[in-house]
Amino acid sequence: MARLVMKFGGTSVADIERIRNVAQHVKREVDAGHQVAVVVSAMAGTTNQLVTWARETAPLHDAREYDTIVASGEQVTIALLSIELQRIGISARSWLGWQIPIRTDGAHGAARIQEIDGTELISRLEQGQVAVVAGFQGLGPDNRITTLGRGGSDTSAVAIAAAIGADLCDIYTDVDGVYTTDPRIVAKARKLDKISYEEMLEMASLGAKVLQTRSVELAMVHRVRLQVRSSFDAPDAPWGAYGAGANGPGTLVCDEDEIVEQQVVSGIAYSKDEAKVTLVKVEDKPGVAARVFGPLADNSINVDMIIQNVSDDGKSTDMTFTVPQAELHRAEDVIRKAQKEIGCKEVKTDTNVVKVSIIGIGMRSHAGVAKTMFQTLAEKGINIQAITTSEIKVSVLIGSEYTELAVRALHTAYGLDAE
Ligand code: ASP
Ligand code: MG
């Protein structure tokens, strides 16, 4: 007998028929004798609607009230699923974040989970009751409702799994696993059986949308075994039938030691959410970078890639950096205000860029991985505008019109294409 967390996203609970299907997945595990905690999102589109209403009422609003509004979507789905489970003869009850409680910090709209008391949940599970928990929400230090940021119910699920010591946290979604790259643009993308926490973390933060980045971080810290799988498949074999989920139907996110055949590059991610800012003719002298990036940091703007060219005349140089598109206007504003002090001639921006990244823990022990990337892009006549690397990834900034060409060519170059 195992203890499981089953998380279902918005598309999996989009209407009553799908909620009935979710209940069948839960029933399969309960019938096999497992203890089950379910975490659900709001019905697809609901959270967006709630956010729109909040903004429509007042663009600048009390963040505590925003959270009270947007957390309401999950309240509906936990109760609907509980009713359906009861209807088909399964003991179940709904849990809002505050009823457990899921304690978070006070950063409304982007709160971080600090503590979950799993005692009550565990005792109910042991009595054979299914716990249906609202994802995305928690309780702040002042006892106000908080939310964890968009996509946050993945994080709720992992945190619950850690708190109740679950054997596996299954993330049911509209795709059947994690792919080597986005199957919508590369037909030969392959589903991965396993991926390490480190790689999944890079994939998520570099643009793969399958899991919220924070949830992977949390899974890595608490060593929660995480499986991404589809809720649209008909409920088939229960946990255990696959051997501890290791060769389950989806993709297992786990410790790298569990992965026997490690590829050099495991996946390719891309993000169109990038904007480039270039400061033309910045004075080339000590302290300039601090004058540029100091004010950006003070305004909590996330700078990603940075490049500074050498100057021909020893007096001035161009400096380029990237920020998320949503932060471009603020970044531009901050830079223009500081332009005199920075001493640059002109500020240029470009949103027509994409960041393409290759990811793989095999890179740690292989030379020439970046070279293959640069060569492949050169052969396709794609110009690289900026580069960043870490131990297990290389990212390049290129014109967004080359996204598909670049991702496809790299997918082939690293031997990832499905036969
Ligand atoms: N309902 C929330 C959202 O749409 C949380 C989630 O789905 O993970 O962002
Ligand atoms: Mg999601």
Side-chain angles (χ1 to χ4, degrees):
M1 191 207 60
R3 187 172 290 163
L4 307 175
V5 170
M6 305 173 75
K7 184 259 167 178
F8 295 89
T11 49
S12 305
V13 293
D15 53 38
I16 303 301
E17 194 187 325
R18 294 216 182 133
I19 288 175
R20 293 201 207 283
N21 179 58
V22 164
Q24 290 302 320
H25 279 282
V26 175
K27 184 177 184 327
R28 175 194 67 222
E29 303 300 340
V30 172
D31 287 350
H34 301 316
Q35 295 178 7
V36 180
V38 187
V39 175
V40 286
S41 297
M43 290 164 131
T46 299
T47 311
N48 287 344
Q49 176 64 71
L50 296 168
V51 171
T52 307
W53 281 335
R55 291 200 180 128
E56 212 177 292
T57 312
L60 285 176
H61 42 247
D62 184 337
R64 293 162 300 189
E65 302 304 351
Y66 167 93
D67 275 350
T68 306
I69 298 164
V70 302
S72 67
E74 278 72 12
Q75 177 159 351
V76 175
T77 44
I78 52 171
L80 288 173
L81 179 59
S82 298
I83 290 175
E84 172 61 9
L85 286 167
Q86 291 166 8
R87 192 187 70 82
I88 61 173
I90 293 169
S91 164
R93 78 152 269 192
S94 63
W95 294 87
L96 287 162
W98 65 267
Q99 293 171 317
I100 294 178
I102 297 173
R103 284 278 172 195
T104 72
D105 64 13
H108 285 275
R112 288 169 82 94
I113 295 177
Q114 287 180 328
E115 206 196 318
I116 298 180
D117 183 355
T119 331
E120 184 62 23
L121 284 185
I122 291 172
S123 93
R124 302 289 187 111
L125 294 179
E126 283 171 347
Q127 289 161 31
Q129 187 179 59
V130 173
V132 186
V133 181
F136 184 50
Q137 56 175 257
L139 190 62
D142 53 356
N143 283 347
R144 303 282 309 252
I145 306 287
T146 54
T147 63
L148 311 180
R150 297 307 304 272
S153 47
D154 293 338
T155 301
S156 309
V158 173
I160 295 279
I164 65 171
D167 297 287
L168 182 68
C169 179
D170 266 336
I171 306 281
Y172 288 82
T173 179
D174 49 6
V175 290
D176 59 355
V178 179
Y179 278 73
T180 47
T181 194
D182 186 348
R184 285 169 306 184
I185 69 168
V186 181
K188 288 179 175 167
R190 267 191 299 117
K191 193 183 87 180
L192 296 161
D193 289 334
K194 291 181 181 176
I195 185 167
S196 68
Y197 293 117
E198 286 82 354
E199 289 167 317
M200 192 64 233
L201 192 57
E202 292 284 5
M203 295 270 265
S205 60
L206 293 169
K209 295 201 175 66
V210 69
L211 289 172
Q212 198 200 33
T213 306
R214 179 84 188 108
S215 72
V216 186
E217 244 169 47
L218 210 60
M220 186 159 110
V221 171
H222 296 284
R223 291 297 185 232
V224 171
R225 293 163 70 79
L226 205 61
Q227 182 179 221
V228 178
R229 58 186 292 186
S230 168
S231 68
F232 296 120
D233 299 344
D236 48 8
W239 187 89
Y242 293 109
N247 296 303
T251 300
L252 186 71
V253 186
C254 60
D255 204 277
E256 64 181 88
D257 298 341
E258 279 191 51
I259 303 171
V260 191
E261 271 178 64
Q262 191 63 58
Q263 300 276 340
V264 176
V265 169
S266 306
I268 297 167
Y270 65 92
S271 163
K272 293 189 170 169
D273 178 32
E274 307 289 323
K276 186 176 80 167
V277 180
T278 303
L279 312 188
V280 182
K281 291 209 182 295
V282 187
E283 278 182 278
D284 193 9
K285 63 175 193 193
V288 171
R291 278 206 290 269
V292 174
F293 298 108
L296 291 168
D298 293 343
N299 286 277
S300 319
I301 293 167
N302 278 310
V303 174
D304 179 16
M305 307 173 123
I306 300 173
I307 32 171
Q308 185 187 334
N309 295 343
V310 289
S311 52
D312 335 314
D313 55 3
K315 282 186 200 139
S316 68
T317 164
D318 289 354
M319 193 181 273
T320 298
F321 63 89
T322 64
V323 293
Q325 270 189 20
E327 291 177 19
L328 176 61
H329 286 299
R330 279 197 309 130
E332 225 185 314
D333 205 49
V334 168
I335 293 295
R336 291 204 195 278
K337 276 188 190 137
Q339 197 174 338
K340 255 226 183 94
E341 205 185 314
I342 296 167
C344 82
K345 236 179 133 195
E346 204 189 325
V347 182
K348 288 199 231 166
T349 64
D350 184 3
T351 52
N352 189 28
V353 287
V354 62
K355 182 170 67 174
V356 175
S357 310
I358 55 168
I359 297 139
I361 46 179
M363 269 182 224
R364 288 195 200 122
S365 49
H366 281 80
V369 179
K371 188 194 89 180
T372 305
M373 182 180 207
F374 304 150
Q375 238 164 25
T376 306
L377 297 174
E379 276 159 21
K380 297 287 175 193
I382 300 170
N383 186 39
I384 299 172
Q385 304 178 21
I387 302 169
T388 51
T389 66
S390 81
E391 221 190 354
I392 65 162
K393 70 122 200 265
V394 183
S395 302
V396 296
L397 194 73
I398 60 174
S400 55
E401 64 275 27
Y402 298 117
T403 312
E404 298 180 10
L405 182 64
V407 173
R408 278 187 201 136
L410 292 169
H411 199 265
T412 306
Y414 289 105
L416 296 173
D417 288 354
E419 260 93 77

